[in-house]
Amino acid sequence: MTTPPSTDPGPVPGPDTTAPYTFGLRLAAACGLLFLLACLVFTGMITLRDAIEGDGSGGVLIAAGFWSLALGAVAGVAALAVPRRALVTAQYCLGAAGPLLALMD
């Protein structure tokens, strides 16, 4: 005798409990954009002080500081879309590098 085929679908998949917790990373990326805004203001203040007290022109490191802030903003938006710890870390590091590079000029 043969047994009839089983209609049991097997174990029913539940919610995915192995997915990483992304809300914290997205919140850190959103706060990082505010941090980048503060660094942009601070870098602008440093640049204006250098223009008044110095020779009136910005150097290469000031331009690199502003580029660092722009790349930090790109990393921050990417971290909001695809939350990864490396993107959030890069966002904060690039943001902090902006004023530091401007100060070195």
Side-chain angles (χ1 to χ4, degrees), residues 23-41:
F23 178 73
L25 288 175
R26 286 193 172 143
L27 183 64
C31 291
L33 290 175
L34 293 175
F35 174 71
L36 283 169
L37 182 64
C39 287
L40 177 66
V41 170

Side-chain angles (χ1 to χ4, degrees), residues 27-56:
L27 183 64
C31 291
L33 290 175
L34 293 175
F35 174 71
L36 283 169
L37 182 64
C39 287
L40 177 66
V41 170
F42 191 55
T43 305
M45 289 176 12
I46 293 168
T47 302
L48 288 176
R49 182 190 54 86
D50 184 52
I52 291 171
E53 294 177 359
D55 59 355

